[in-house]
């Protein structure tokens, strides 16, 4: 097992290993003494697979668990599901000294984290990510949210977990498409500042998943420690995300997030090469690695639609937007540009 410490506020451990789920209760007991009620929040796909293991491990550690299950999928990540989770917490008489555990992918983690942080003005929570994307990205860093009709993640708070436990064996039940989504976010860290991590995805067969997740979590922790509230360095984590959000929006959120990030990253690389700020050949290298990992590399939408959709990006400030440009694999930089500049990136969606 590997442990990455995230030094934000009180700080917390991210434990990563194969077959560690049955140890979760004991890990939690180290940071929150039983007996306490523990509300496990999970979705309809993950609860039947791993709910029982988590429940038993909590019971053996002296906790009193109960489970709330919501229908799986992004379409559940809204105020209606959030409200019903809060009502179920109240029905179970969960108190402020009890705990919440998010068991699932990013949808579960974001929504359960948000519910925990507003229920009784804040209950401590832990994350058990079960997708690669949740493990390397959403379970660490404290961004919690639900979607509004106007767009994704528009209502939420920053709230850090007290523990993250990632059993890499849970990835074995993911579809290749959902695994690939997480691969895109992992490759992103490689492009940002870790060429060996980028190369670890070469050929598409990932060895040592435990090491890869630990490296990604360490990168995420470094960014979050420097900029918990996303006002500076944490913006780097949005590499490829402006166009990714545009693609997701145009698809009615049917285009998976990691897949959209892959396309958005290729676009920014190509635009950078055209502008002369990105090392020649970088786009080809990125295309190769994404293709080898079953990820798309071209936009299904035309440049004008992408531009219009990207103009609504919530990261936009006035008439300007900060984009993350690639200098070369392992080195990126921030560039604040007039929103009009997004046109040059939007036309890079196809070769
Ligand atoms: N908070 C953050 O910093 C942050 C960062 C990135 C993404 N996100 C959010 O994360 C969400 C996407 O995360 P996701 O891709 O994990 O989505 P998800 O939670 O919907 O999981 C994807 C699918 O996989 C299923 N699943 C999860 N684990 C499984 C397992 N081990 N075996 C079989 N099936 C499993 C789920 O039921 C779901 O159908 C988005 O809502 C996005 O906004 C948040």
């Amino acid at each position: 097992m590997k442990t990455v410490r995230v030094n934000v506020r009180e700080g917390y451990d991210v434990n990563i290993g194969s077959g560690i789920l049955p140890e979760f209760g004991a890990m939690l007991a180290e940071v929150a003494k039983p007996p306490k009620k523990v509300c496990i929040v999970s979705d309809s796909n993950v609860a039947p697979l791993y709910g029982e293991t988590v429940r038993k491990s909590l019971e053996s550690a002296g906790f009193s668990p109960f489970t709330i299950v919501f229908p799986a999928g992004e379409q559940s990540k809204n105020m209606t599901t959030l409200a019903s989770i809060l009502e179920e917490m109240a029905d179970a008489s969960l108190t402020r000294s009890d705990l919440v555990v998010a068991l699932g992918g990013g949808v579960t983690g974001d929504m359960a984290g948000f519910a925990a942080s507003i229920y009784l003005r804040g209950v401590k929570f832990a994350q058990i990510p079960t997708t690669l994307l949740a493990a390397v990205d959403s379970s660490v860093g404290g961004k919690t949210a639900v979607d509004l009709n106007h767009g994704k993640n528009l209502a939420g708070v920053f709230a850090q977990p007290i523990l993250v436990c990632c059993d890499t064996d849970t990835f074995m039940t993911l579809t290749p498409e959902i695994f690939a989504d997480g691969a895109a976010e992992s490759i992103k860290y490689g492009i940002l500042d870790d060429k060996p991590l980028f190369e670890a995805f070469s050929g598409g067969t990932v060895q040592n998943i435990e090491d890869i997740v630990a490296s990604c979590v360490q990168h995420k922790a470094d960014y979050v420690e420097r900029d918990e509230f996303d006002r500076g360095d944490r913006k780097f984590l949005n590499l490829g995300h402006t166009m990714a959000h545009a693609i997701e929006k145009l698809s009615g959120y049917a285009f998976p997030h990691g897949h959209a990030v892959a396309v958005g990253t290729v676009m920014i690389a190509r635009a950078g090469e055209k502008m002369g700020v990105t090392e020649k050949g970088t786009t080809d290298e990125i295309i190769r690695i994404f293709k080898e990992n079953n990820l798309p590399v071209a936009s299904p939408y035309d440049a004008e639609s992408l531009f219009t959709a990207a103009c609504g990006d919530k990261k936009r400030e006035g008439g300007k937007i900060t984009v993350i440009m690639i200098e070369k694999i392992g080195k990126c930089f921030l560039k604040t540009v007039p929103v009009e500049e997004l046109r040059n990136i939007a036309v890079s969606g196809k070769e």
Side-chain angles (χ1 to χ4, degrees):
M1 184 178 90
K2 290 192 143 48
T3 299
V4 177
R5 181 84 186 161
V6 185
N7 295 305
V8 175
R9 303 188 206 181
E10 292 87 19
Y12 52 97
D13 285 344
V14 181
N15 294 332
I16 304 145
S18 157
I20 64 173
L21 207 51
E23 312 307 321
F24 173 69
M27 291 174 196
L28 190 65
E30 281 178 28
V31 289
K33 296 275 167 269
K36 279 179 193 300
K37 260 186 211 163
V38 178
C39 169
I40 304 167
V41 179
S42 193
D43 77 21
S44 52
N45 291 334
V46 178
L49 290 169
Y50 305 111
E52 196 53 15
T53 306
V54 173
R55 197 187 57 76
K56 278 194 186 142
S57 96
L58 285 166
E59 275 176 357
S60 348
F63 294 102
S64 308
F66 68 98
T67 307
I68 296 175
V69 180
F70 66 88
E74 185 75 33
Q75 64 280 5
S76 285
K77 193 178 152 184
N78 56 37
M79 296 299 276
T80 310
T81 318
L82 177 73
S84 74
I85 290 172
L86 293 170
E87 292 291 353
E88 282 190 63
M89 287 175 174
D91 286 346
S93 305
L94 197 72
T95 70
R96 196 182 276 169
S97 57
D98 292 324
L99 299 167
V100 171
V101 169
L103 169 67
V107 164
T108 304
D110 279 12
M111 193 157 51
F114 190 22
S117 64
I118 58 173
Y119 179 74
L120 300 180
R121 299 193 181 88
V123 173
K124 289 183 176 164
F125 67 99
Q127 294 269 8
I128 305 179
T130 62
T131 62
L132 179 59
L133 184 139
V136 300
D137 196 355
S138 59
S139 63
V140 177
K143 279 190 184 176
T144 73
V146 294
D147 305 334
L148 299 182
N149 292 336
H150 278 272
K152 274 189 66 170
N153 298 324
L154 293 186
V157 296
F158 285 93
Q160 301 293 341
I162 56 167
L163 173 72
V164 181
C165 170
C166 170
D167 183 342
T168 51
D169 288 0
T170 61
F171 304 156
M172 287 183 207
T173 49
L174 294 174
T175 62
E177 192 189 39
I178 294 172
F179 186 85
D181 248 347
E185 292 284 8
S186 310
I187 292 167
K188 175 190 79 180
Y189 295 111
I191 300 172
L192 283 174
D193 49 14
D194 190 344
K195 194 161 186 191
L197 175 60
F198 178 84
E199 291 301 345
F201 283 86
S202 228
T205 336
V206 184
Q207 312 285 336
N208 293 327
I209 189 72
E210 190 175 312
D211 291 345
I212 285 182
V213 173
S215 295
C216 294
V217 169
Q218 186 62 63
H219 283 296
K220 175 113 193 208
D222 291 345
Y223 282 103
V224 171
E225 285 169 13
R226 289 200 296 271
D227 174 24
E228 183 186 357
F229 298 108
D230 206 3
R231 292 183 185 122
D233 260 16
R234 192 166 175 171
K235 288 186 203 291
F236 276 101
L237 299 175
N238 290 323
L239 174 65
H241 280 57
T242 297
M243 285 303 153
H245 290 150
I247 293 168
E248 287 180 88
K249 195 170 170 187
L250 290 168
S251 74
Y253 298 98
F255 206 94
H257 178 70
H259 287 55
V261 167
V263 177
T265 305
V266 170
M267 291 171 76
I268 211 81
R270 190 175 285 127
E273 284 199 44
K274 278 190 207 151
M275 289 156 71
V277 298
T278 303
E279 195 172 271
K280 288 264 172 274
T282 303
T283 313
D284 287 345
E285 250 189 290
I286 291 175
I287 287 178
R288 171 185 63 82
I289 216 112
F290 283 151
K291 280 188 173 166
E292 288 173 352
N293 287 277
N294 304 315
L295 288 158
V297 293
S299 165
Y301 303 105
D302 64 74
E304 203 47 40
S305 312
L306 283 174
F307 172 70
T308 311
C311 283
D313 195 304
K314 71 172 182 285
K315 301 282 186 318
R316 169 184 165 173
E317 286 167 26
K320 300 210 162 164
I321 190 156
T322 300
V323 284
I324 299 88
M325 302 296 301
I326 304 164
E327 186 179 318
K328 57 184 181 179
I329 304 296
K331 193 154 192 262
C332 291
F333 62 98
L334 298 179
K335 192 169 161 65
T336 303
V337 295
V339 172
E340 269 299 309
E341 273 284 319
L342 291 179
R343 268 185 211 283
N344 294 330
I345 301 168
V347 295
S348 304
K350 300 205 165 58
E351 279 174 78

